[in-house]
Amino acid sequence: MAVKVLYFSWIKEKVGAGEELLSPPDSVETVSDFVDWLRTQSPAHDSAFENLKQIRAAVDQVHVPLESRIGLAKEIAFFPPVTGG
Amino acid sequence: MIRVQGTPFDPGAEIKSFLGRNPNSGGIATFIGQVRDFQPVQNSSSSEVTSLELEHYPGMTEKELERIVEDSFTRWPLDDALVIHLYGQLKPGDSIVLVCTAATHRGDAFASCEFIMDWLKTKAPFWKREQTQAGTTWVDARANDTERADRWAKD
C-alpha cells in the first residue's frame, strides 16, 4: 500500500526530496524496518539514514519510537531532533 | 490558542490582547524567545549569525502544539494559554516564540509557561538553520533541552 513519506531539515537535503509516495513490501512492519528498506532505495537514502541516533519519526503526525509498527499509516515523516523555540 | 505563522508578530500587542481576554486571572506568565545574533562555535569565540531560517512540518506542528497546551491544562488549573511560533526567514532580534499562560495564582502560571516551552523545544517539529559568515548550518539539538523536558515526565 502506498504511503506518503516526508523528510525535513538535513535529511531532506541528503535524500534530495521533501516528499515521496512509496510502496514498501509487506515484510516492512515497523518504522525501523521501513528505514532499512529505504536505505536500499538509493545511495542518497542510504547516506541520509546512516546515523540512526539522529533520526526521529512521526506516523500520521504523531511522534513514534523507531520500533513502533506502521500499521495502516498514511503518512510517515523522518527528521532530526527538533530545534524550535 | 495556537498560532503558527510566517509573518512577524508584536509581542507587546499580543500580551496586551491576552490580558484583555483574561481580566480575572490573578497571575499571567509570559515567555518570549528571540533570535540570537551569535552561534557559539567550538574551539573559537563565536560567529555572527546574519539570518535564521525555521523549517517546520505543516499540520503536525499545529497538532503537536495543541497537544502540549492540552496537556498543560490537565496539569494545572489554567484559565487560558497562548502559543505563537514563527517559521520562515528571521533575523537577529526577531521574536520567534511567545507563550502566555493565565491562572488564578502565579505558581500555576509560571510552571505551565515553562512546561509549554520545555516541551515545545523537544516536541514541536521545527528545525533552525543559521546563516553565518562561515556559511549555512542546521542547528544541533541540545542535550540540555531534553534534560529540561524530562523533568516534566510523569511517573
Side-chain angles (χ1 to χ4, degrees):
Chain A
M1 199 176 63
V3 56
K4 183 158 95 173
V5 186
L6 301 175
Y7 309 106
F8 293 95
S9 182
W10 53 260
I11 297 174
K12 173 165 81 179
E13 288 177 348
K14 282 197 169 187
V15 168
E19 186 178 329
E20 298 182 285
L21 198 61
L22 297 172
S23 299
D26 290 344
S27 56
V28 169
E29 293 183 349
T30 65
V31 176
S32 175
D33 293 342
F34 196 94
V35 169
D36 291 342
W37 175 75
L38 268 180
R39 293 189 67 178
T40 66
Q41 299 305 295
S42 80
H45 287 84
D46 189 32
S47 140
F49 290 92
E50 221 166 35
N51 183 2
L52 281 184
K53 282 189 178 156
Q54 289 301 311
I55 306 289
R56 300 290 180 274
V59 168
D60 290 335
Q61 307 194 346
V62 176
H63 289 291
V64 295
L66 293 185
E67 61 271 21
S68 63
R69 298 177 74 84
I70 292 171
L72 299 172
K74 293 192 175 73
E75 187 172 299
I76 301 180
F78 294 102
F79 41 81
V82 302
T83 55
Chain B
M1 188 170 58
I2 303 297
R3 268 164 51 202
V4 180
Q5 59 188 57
T7 50
F9 62 94
D10 174 353
E14 298 294 347
I15 291 168
K16 193 175 175 190
S17 146
F18 187 78
L19 292 175
R21 288 199 297 277
N22 298 285
N24 300 317
S25 300
I28 307 273
T30 65
F31 174 84
I32 298 161
Q34 300 193 110
V35 180
R36 269 192 299 269
D37 66 352
F38 68 95
Q39 170 67 16
V41 176
Q42 251 182 342
N43 306 321
S44 94
S45 52
S46 71
S47 87
E48 198 181 320
V49 174
T50 50
S51 74
L52 178 79
E53 185 194 337
L54 260 167
E55 184 183 11
H56 80 120
Y57 181 173
M60 177 166 171
T61 306
E62 292 81 356
K63 283 180 194 165
E64 195 60 32
L65 291 176
E66 290 283 1
R67 286 191 278 260
I68 294 168
V69 168
E70 277 169 22
D71 200 326
S72 73
F73 273 78
T74 68
R75 291 167 182 247
W76 295 278
L78 299 181
D79 298 331
D80 197 5
L82 168 71
V83 178
I84 301 177
H85 203 300
L86 286 198
Y87 61 85
Q89 288 290 338
L90 301 169
K91 54 185 193 312
D94 283 353
S95 299
I96 303 182
V97 59
L98 170 69
V99 177
C100 301
T101 53
T104 302
H105 300 292
R106 72 182 186 286
D108 297 330
F110 275 136
S112 57
C113 187
E114 190 170 23
F115 163 81
I116 290 171
M117 266 315 296
D118 285 347
W119 274 29
L120 180 156
K121 292 288 282 187
T122 54
K123 292 171 185 285
F126 289 98
W127 301 275
K128 288 191 182 112
R129 181 155 64 171
E130 286 175 337
Q131 177 83 49
T132 66
Q133 272 89 348
T136 298
T137 45
W138 291 101
V139 173
D140 284 330
R142 298 164 68 232
N144 179 250
D145 287 334
T146 310
E147 287 160 18
R148 289 190 65 89
D150 286 348
R151 294 178 308 155
W152 303 103
K154 284 178 174 166
D155 296 332

